[in-house]
């Protein structure tokens, strides 16, 4: 019987995905393989997004913010009816765990590709869900009342009751900070999920984040499909996920106990469909229930690769009323997934926005499909030319490997990431490579304190060495010279800057981060000379490829240009430069002490006024971008001499928000 209608099997012929980006493309991929039609919804900012262009039909949701678009249940249901969809898949995030939305879908006569409304309601409150799990015999952590937290109970973790993904989460180690952090968590939770409710629980400084994928049909059968480990996290958001768990693999009987607890949790709420039961475990194998996510998880591909199952197809089958297969598949090999974000880990995980000019991962076998052989899978929300906006999560893609062993899976994935050609935005790519190659990771020592233990500054070190960056800058300069000469109208076959007599070298300057690299070169009868780098020999040059011999070893550099941006790729690593103009407009200079917007966003709070005396590190204002709050603080002790924004104002990257002068004002 179908849980939504009380009837037998229902055919699903046309699915609307109430989401965007990577997860919409993932669901569409399975629908296409199954011969099912697809409908996309899109905001103003997503009008040219890949998920929109790939769908059979697409419906516009006017506006940009989630509250105007992807959180509008009424408009999404209207879109489904207008496009002739007979089912809705919520993806993850947005309305995926919203019981009112699920109920509205069913009431509209559409098939809900998700769990029963009651199950979503019970697990939607993390407070109520823990009480139920405790009653069902699943071990839980004690809930704390924020109003009665004592010093002895610190540190505590503030969590959003209605969502996940790190939004609305705060660690509090000082009682004096509790109220401010609760207010900040409430604002963030309200923005991300439409519900500002938060609660507290004891925070375990270290532990393992282990979760079990469950799949249940409408006939009472429940599978514990496999476990995943997702312990390496930043700001409580997962960065690396893998199956099976290294911890579970080495502790006898732990997998059986986890699977039993997950099935108890699912059966306690009459669960149907795909879900994930999350636990926090210690090194001895004891674990505590954290929450149950009543949806498909971001990290589901690692379970697909290690079981051979298409979990989205199973969601479709279960929603239509089909029973689970008679035999549950066993596990095979190892799979690791990393989340590729447009963010700068070295700058407090600062999110980035802008154009993805090019993305390509060597060794990719397929996208959005189960891997059956050693290789890499790319589940991406972006393609060449995609624009990453400030309104949504900055995840670009999930890069996933599969191999017979964990070591091979890590090796294949690290190589794919290191060789990735990714042009246009700063990302966490180098951080991911460093994690995958770290001895602690390879040994399976991956608890939730991984970044604290091994140093974020160390882990976010660029994989390209200083020497590699220098060689890349030389390659960029020689390629630019070739391009300039290729466009010459007079004697185009003569190299740029060539002289019949010895002369001064040509020079080009490139910005790399906060550093400026000056490259000098001279074309001579004996080839290209690079003063100051006599140990290298230039083998060949062209506008897009330069080959350099370094101590007898030839290296090939490919160069791509996007305006003043130069993206250079080689086996030594990637480097991005900005070609500096020969002459700089003095009016473009920024006054000392200026606080610039690090990303486009909305000013949500201002805590200072012109004339205020402030200290270095004191918050001046807060920006919201990509559903996260970002504090803009005073760079030095001084006085606020300019304040150019107010709460509610939208700002672009580079906007001068305020100016703090470090000069002591003269007394009157």
């Amino acid at each position: 019987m179908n849980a939504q209608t009380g009837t037998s099997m229902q055919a699903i012929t046309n699915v609307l995905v109430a989401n965007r980006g990577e997860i919409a493309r993932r669901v569409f991929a399975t629908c296409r393989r199954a011969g099912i039609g697809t409908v996309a919804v899109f905001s103003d900012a997503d009008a040219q997004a890949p998920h929109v262009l790939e769908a059979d039909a697409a419906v516009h949701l006017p506006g940009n913010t989630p509250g105007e678009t992807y959180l509008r249940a009424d408009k999404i249901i209207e879109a489904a009816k207008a496009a002739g969809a007979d089912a809705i898949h919520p993806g993850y995030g947005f309305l995926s765990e919203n019981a009112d939305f699920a109920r509205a879908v069913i009431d509209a006569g559409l098939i809900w590709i998700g769990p029963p409304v009651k199950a979503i309601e019970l697990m939607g409150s993390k407070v109520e869900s823990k009480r139920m799990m405790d009653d069902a015999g699943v071990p839980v952590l004690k809930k704390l009342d924020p109003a009665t937290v004592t010093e002895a109970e610190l540190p505590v973790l503030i969590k959003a009751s209605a969502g996940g993904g790190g939004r609305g989460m705060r660690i509090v180690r000082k009682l004096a900070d509790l109220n401010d952090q609760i207010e900040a968590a409430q604002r963030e939770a309200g923005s991300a999920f439409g519900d500002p409710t938060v609660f507290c629980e004891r925070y375990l400084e270290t532990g393992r984040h282990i979760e079990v994928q469950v799949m249940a049909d409408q006939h009472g059968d429940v599978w514990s499909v496999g476990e995943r480990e997702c312990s390496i996290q930043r700001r409580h958001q997962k960065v690396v996920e893998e199956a099976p768990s290294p911890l579970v693999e080495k502790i006898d009987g732990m997998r059986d106990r986890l699977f039993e607890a997950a099935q108890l949790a699912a059966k306690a709420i009459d669960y149907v469909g795909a879900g994930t039961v999350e636990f926090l475990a210690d090194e001895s194998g004891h674990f505590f229930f954290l929450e149950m996510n009543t949806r498909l998880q971001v990290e589901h591909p690692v379970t697909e690769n290690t079981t051979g199952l298409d979990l989205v197809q199973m969601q479709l089958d279960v929603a239509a009323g089909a029973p689970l297969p008679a035999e549950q598949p066993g596990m095979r090999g190892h799979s690791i997934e990393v989340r590729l974000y447009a963010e700068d880990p070295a700058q407090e995980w600062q999110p980035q926005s802008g154009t993805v000019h090019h993305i390509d991962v060597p060794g990719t076998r397929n996208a959005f499909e189960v891997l059956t052989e050693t290789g890499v899978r790319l589940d991406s929300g972006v393609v060449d030319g995609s624009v990453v906006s400030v309104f949504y999560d900055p995840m670009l893609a999930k890069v996933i490997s599969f191999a017979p062993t964990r070591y091979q899976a890590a090796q294949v994935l690290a190589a794919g990431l290191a060789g990735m050609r990714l042009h246009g935005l700063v990302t966490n790519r180098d951080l991911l490579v460093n994690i995958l190659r770290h001895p602690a990771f390879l040994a399976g020592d991956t608890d939730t304190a991984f970044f604290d233990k091994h140093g974020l500054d160390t882990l976010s070190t660029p994989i390209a060495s200083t020497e590699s960056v220098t060689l890349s800058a030389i390659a960029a300069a020689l390629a630019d010279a070739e391009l300039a000469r290729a466009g010459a109208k007079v004697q185009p076959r003569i190299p740029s800057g060539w002289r019949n007599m010895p002369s001064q070298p040509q020079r080009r300057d490139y910005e790399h981060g906060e550093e400026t690299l000056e490259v000098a070169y001279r074309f001579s009868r004996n080839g290209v000379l690079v003063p100051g780098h006599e140990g290298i020999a230039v083998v060949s040059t062209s506008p897009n490829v330069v080959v350099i011999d370094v101590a007898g070893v030839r290296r090939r550099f490919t160069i791509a240009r996007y305006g003043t941006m130069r993206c250079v790729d080689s086996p030594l690593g990637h480097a991005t430069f900005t070609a500096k103009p020969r002459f700089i407009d003095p009016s473009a200079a920024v006054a000392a002490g200026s606080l610039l917007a690090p990303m486009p966003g909305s000013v949500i709070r201002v805590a200072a006024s012109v004339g205020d005396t402030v200290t270095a590190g004191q918050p001046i204002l807060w920006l919201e971008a990509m559903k996260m709050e970002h504090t803009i603080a005073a760079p030095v002790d001084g006085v606020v001499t300019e304040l150019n924004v107010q709460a509610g104002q939208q700002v672009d990257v580079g906007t001068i928000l305020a100016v703090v002068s470090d000069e002591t004002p003269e007394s009157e």
Side-chain angles (χ1 to χ4, degrees):
M1 300 292 287
N2 185 281
Q4 281 93 29
T5 65
T7 61
S8 57
M9 287 277 295
Q10 285 184 289
I12 295 176
T13 63
N14 199 11
V15 173
L16 179 145
V17 177
N19 220 295
R20 64 180 298 279
E22 172 268 328
I23 185 56
R25 299 185 76 199
R26 166 69 189 91
V27 176
F28 290 164
T30 287
C31 287
R32 282 194 296 271
R33 291 192 290 268
I36 295 172
T38 56
V39 180
V41 288
F42 63 95
S43 66
D44 295 348
D46 281 342
Q48 297 300 315
H51 79 277
V52 178
L53 303 179
E54 292 172 357
D56 296 326
V59 181
H60 180 215
L61 304 176
N64 276 318
T65 68
E68 296 172 316
T69 56
Y70 300 106
L71 290 175
R72 286 292 300 272
D74 56 339
K75 291 193 175 297
I76 289 171
I77 292 173
E78 287 174 8
K81 291 181 176 180
D86 51 29
I88 290 183
H89 191 299
Y92 48 70
F94 294 129
L95 293 169
S96 62
E97 295 179 281
N98 187 301
D100 290 338
F101 177 55
R103 183 180 292 107
V105 170
I106 296 167
D107 289 346
L110 302 168
I111 297 173
W112 168 247
I113 305 173
V117 172
K118 187 64 176 176
I120 300 174
E121 288 176 334
L122 292 172
M123 295 297 100
S125 167
K126 292 183 173 62
V127 176
E128 177 63 16
S129 66
K130 290 196 173 186
R131 184 194 64 77
M132 286 197 66
M133 293 302 104
D134 195 14
D135 292 344
V138 180
V140 301
L141 281 171
K142 177 186 174 185
K143 170 185 166 288
L144 301 173
D145 182 350
T148 62
V149 170
T150 65
E151 288 281 356
E153 292 170 318
L154 296 176
V156 297
L157 179 64
I158 303 168
K159 299 180 73 173
S161 182
R167 273 84 182 188
M169 278 194 182
R170 295 287 193 282
I171 300 170
V172 180
R173 293 185 169 85
K174 296 179 181 178
L175 206 56
D177 296 337
L178 186 61
N179 288 336
D180 286 346
Q181 292 299 321
I182 286 175
E183 290 176 4
Q186 288 172 332
R187 288 193 301 270
E188 204 165 84
S191 173
F193 313 115
D195 182 352
T197 306
V198 299
F199 69 98
C200 291
E201 67 185 19
R202 184 165 58 96
Y203 178 65
L204 303 182
E205 294 283 2
T206 61
R208 301 288 192 112
H209 188 116
I210 313 292
E211 60 189 34
V212 179
Q213 174 73 58
V214 296
M215 181 66 71
D217 63 22
Q218 299 178 29
H219 309 277
D221 288 334
V222 180
W223 284 1
S224 286
V225 181
E227 91 280 350
R228 301 183 285 257
E229 181 158 341
C230 315
S231 300
I232 299 179
Q233 303 180 10
R234 63 104 167 99
R235 291 179 174 173
H236 310 288
Q237 193 165 43
K238 299 161 190 173
V239 176
V240 182
E241 302 112 343
E242 59 181 312
S245 158
L247 177 68
V248 175
E249 286 279 272
K250 69 182 182 181
I251 297 181
D252 291 339
M254 186 176 178
R255 179 169 290 123
D256 291 338
R257 290 186 290 113
L258 278 167
F259 283 11
E260 181 183 4
Q263 287 177 308
L264 281 174
K267 290 177 179 178
I269 58 172
D270 297 322
Y271 198 77
V272 173
T276 300
V277 187
E278 301 196 352
F279 301 95
L280 186 64
D282 61 25
E283 294 297 325
S284 65
H286 295 97
F287 53 83
F288 303 94
F289 174 84
L290 287 176
E291 62 184 349
M292 183 173 184
N293 289 305
T294 53
R295 55 173 167 79
L296 197 67
Q297 291 279 86
V298 176
E299 57 272 22
H300 74 273
V302 297
T303 297
E304 293 187 321
N305 291 339
T306 51
T307 60
L309 298 171
D310 182 333
L311 293 178
V312 174
Q313 183 64 60
M314 295 188 75
Q315 284 186 296
L316 295 170
D317 292 343
V318 166
L324 292 174
E327 296 274 337
Q328 180 173 341
M331 296 179 70
R332 62 186 190 183
H334 202 97
S335 184
I336 304 174
E337 171 183 297
V338 293
R339 302 189 189 190
L340 184 68
Y341 280 95
E343 65 183 10
D344 188 348
Q347 298 296 324
E348 294 295 316
W349 309 99
Q350 188 179 103
Q352 309 290 305
S353 61
T355 302
V356 177
H357 295 297
H358 183 63
I359 180 169
D360 174 57
V361 182
T364 300
R365 286 191 171 273
N366 56 35
F368 307 114
E369 290 185 33
V370 176
L371 289 170
T372 57
E373 298 179 359
T374 299
V376 174
R377 162 178 168 175
L378 180 66
D379 285 14
S380 175
V382 299
V383 295
D384 292 3
S386 291
V387 176
V388 178
S389 80
V390 301
F391 299 104
Y392 316 112
D393 186 275
M395 189 176 80
L396 301 177
K398 302 177 321 197
V399 191
I400 311 115
S401 66
F402 174 72
T405 68
R406 184 174 184 272
Y407 178 80
Q408 287 176 298
Q411 195 172 37
V412 167
L413 186 52
L417 288 164
M420 172 189 289
R421 291 195 296 169
L422 180 57
H423 303 162
L425 293 173
V426 174
T427 72
N428 65 338
R429 182 253 300 268
D430 288 3
L431 171 82
L432 299 174
V433 174
N434 289 331
I435 291 172
L436 293 167
R437 290 175 173 170
H438 197 282
F441 178 84
L442 295 174
D445 298 332
T446 55
D447 63 31
T448 54
F450 193 87
F451 287 135
D452 293 332
K453 285 183 177 179
H454 304 294
L456 178 59
D457 54 343
T458 300
L459 292 169
S460 58
T461 301
I463 57 177
S465 67
T466 301
E467 180 186 6
S468 300
V469 170
T470 299
L471 291 171
S472 294
I474 292 171
L478 297 176
D480 279 351
E482 287 290 344
L483 181 66
R485 196 59 199 161
K489 298 186 183 302
V490 179
Q491 296 183 316
R493 294 187 180 183
I494 297 177
S496 174
W498 188 87
R499 299 289 185 274
N500 195 40
M501 300 289 289
S503 63
Q504 293 297 312
Q506 302 291 303
R507 299 183 187 277
R508 292 178 185 268
D509 291 340
Y510 296 92
E511 288 182 355
H512 178 70
E514 297 181 356
E515 183 182 11
T516 297
L517 301 177
E518 182 186 77
V519 179
Y521 59 92
R522 182 165 62 85
F523 290 89
S524 71
R525 292 185 178 85
N526 298 319
V528 183
L529 303 178
V530 185
H533 300 278
E534 283 69 23
I536 71 172
V538 179
V539 178
S540 64
T541 60
S542 75
N544 302 109
V545 178
V546 172
V547 179
I548 299 175
D549 185 301
V550 184
V553 179
R554 290 189 177 187
R555 306 287 187 183
R556 186 174 186 269
F557 299 81
T558 60
I559 298 90
R561 298 173 188 81
Y562 312 96
T564 60
M565 179 184 292
R566 303 291 183 268
C567 296
V568 183
D569 294 286
S570 77
L572 298 175
H574 172 83
T576 298
F577 306 98
T578 300
K580 293 186 66 175
R582 293 182 62 189
F583 304 103
I584 299 176
D585 183 354
S587 66
V590 176
S594 296
L595 302 181
L596 306 182
M599 77 286 289
S602 175
V603 179
I604 58 174
R605 184 181 168 199
V606 177
S609 302
V610 172
D612 285 357
T613 299
V614 295
T615 58
Q618 179 179 331
I620 301 297
L621 55 88
W622 286 261
L623 281 180
E624 182 181 67
M626 297 177 174
K627 299 190 288 185
M628 299 288 282
E629 282 191 15
H630 306 275
T631 303
I632 307 299
V636 294
D637 294 348
V639 175
V640 179
T641 56
E642 288 185 32
L643 188 61
N644 304 318
V645 294
Q646 58 187 357
Q649 184 174 335
Q650 288 288 135
V651 297
D652 293 325
V653 62
T655 298
I656 300 176
L657 306 172
V659 177
V660 176
S661 172
D662 60 358
E663 296 180 4
T664 304
E666 295 180 6
S667 57
E668 297 181 358

